[in-house]
Amino acid sequence: MKIDEIEQKIRREAAELVHDEPLSVLMLTEQVLDRRNFADMLSVTLACQLAGEIMDRSELEKMFDVLYLKYPELLLCAAKDLHATVLRDPACTSYLEPLLFFKGFQGLQAYRAAHALWLEGRTFPAKMLQSIISRKFGMDFHPAAKIGHGLLIDHATNIVIGETAVVGNNVSFLHGVTLGGTGNEVGDRHPKIGNGVMLGAHAQLLGNIHIGDGAKIGAGAVVVSDVPAHTTYAGVPAVQVGKPHDEMPSFNMQQDFTQDCK
């Protein structure tokens, strides 16, 4: 879905709510209806969420504005993430909700800004933003990690993504997932996640391992070795228990991995 199409949907949803729900007027007017475009909506929303004792709202809003103007691909990724959230999260009933309320979506977009700063060599403000994101949203993404588009970050609490992790496109994360090191490695030490992967709640993926496209990792699994594409892994330590029924298990979000058993 194109950015302007998402912006139009958000405006229509906000206009309807303002008409029907008086308590929504102030927030929706400030963060949506009075904003020029999707970039402006995103900037003010993230600034409102992250402002505090370290950076005030005006500083943050200006920072996001500059980054979105400089790197329009950040907005394209945000639009794809928003669309993915609406399609895959059964608790989501509109495009407006993730933008304003879902910390998984908001934290992911804030990470994208931190990553852009990191790539500019501005590592200190990137880590400062990472620290704020971690405290505000309970999710800790290192700004050096490389993360694709079209992600669903469901609930987001306690998700950790390490410095050298790589995440492909159209991946779905449940809460408590860790893409971490084993504790004794240096250099390239974090997992590499393919496209269309679904990572179940509290799955722990440790070390410089590769998770193939379309793989499915069961809730609570501890994965310490490579996972072939289009396979289902579960257990402690995780082993193959079957294969997903779909090429992209991240899309259908089927949590019962026993259905994949041989």
Side-chain angles (χ1 to χ4, degrees):
M1 183 172 288
K2 296 180 180 179
I3 293 174
D4 59 347
E5 293 175 334
I6 284 184
E7 179 188 335
Q8 291 167 14
K9 281 182 173 291
I10 291 170
R11 287 193 189 280
R12 285 197 298 268
E13 292 168 358
E16 291 174 4
L17 265 176
V18 164
H19 180 268
D20 297 336
E21 180 49 75
L23 290 176
S24 71
V25 173
L26 182 62
M27 182 183 204
L28 294 177
T29 301
E30 167 68 9
Q31 294 182 224
V32 177
L33 297 175
D34 280 355
R35 295 295 151 177
R36 300 184 305 273
N37 49 39
F38 180 60
D40 203 15
M41 296 174 190
L42 197 53
S43 291
V44 69
T45 297
L46 294 178
C48 286
Q49 291 293 332
L50 296 171
E53 67 278 7
I54 295 178
M55 296 182 71
D56 65 27
R57 174 180 158 179
S58 62
E59 290 177 317
L60 284 162
E61 193 171 341
K62 182 178 179 180
M63 180 196 71
F64 288 120
D65 284 341
V66 169
L67 289 173
Y68 291 146
L69 184 62
K70 195 172 184 180
Y71 304 111
E73 62 271 21
L74 296 177
L75 294 173
L76 183 59
C77 286
K80 291 180 177 180
D81 297 335
L82 188 59
H83 189 55
T85 302
V86 172
L87 290 181
R88 296 182 221 161
D89 187 347
C92 183
T93 61
S94 70
Y95 284 84
L96 191 60
E97 286 180 351
L99 174 67
L100 299 181
F101 301 135
F102 285 19
K103 64 181 183 179
F105 172 78
Q106 294 171 343
L108 179 58
Q109 306 323 310
Y111 146 80
R112 295 196 188 284
H115 183 64
L117 293 172
W118 185 273
L119 292 179
E120 289 184 343
R122 301 174 64 191
T123 58
F124 186 83
K127 287 186 175 181
M128 182 168 63
L129 188 52
Q130 175 196 8
S131 175
I132 299 171
I133 296 165
S134 179
R135 289 187 291 106
K136 293 283 187 174
F137 296 133
M139 51 193 286
D140 195 355
F141 293 13
H142 195 285
K146 299 175 182 177
I147 299 178
H149 57 71
L151 269 64
L152 167 62
I153 309 292
D154 195 15
H155 299 293
T157 302
N158 294 333
I159 295 178
V160 176
I161 298 181
E163 179 181 12
T164 61
V166 177
V167 178
N169 300 324
N170 301 311
V171 175
S172 290
F173 284 76
L174 275 293
H175 57 283
V177 171
T178 297
L179 304 184
T182 62
N184 60 2
E185 297 169 305
V186 294
D188 193 358
R189 61 195 185 279
H190 296 105
K192 313 297 182 281
I193 311 299
N195 300 320
V197 173
M198 195 202 77
L199 301 171
H202 296 285
Q204 309 296 296
L205 290 77
L206 307 176
N208 186 15
I209 58 176
H210 291 74
I211 311 301
D213 293 348
K216 181 176 176 181
I217 308 299
V222 176
V223 186
V224 293
S225 59
D226 291 351
V227 173
H230 308 294
T231 58
T232 300
Y233 269 57
V236 181
V239 296
Q240 184 176 350
V241 297
K243 294 184 177 182
H245 291 196
D246 303 295
E247 287 292 303
M248 303 282 272
S250 62
F251 284 8
N252 63 32
M253 297 296 291
Q254 173 52 252
Q255 302 297 305
D256 183 4
F257 66 85
T258 61
Q259 295 186 11
D260 302 344
C261 293
K262 298 175 181 177

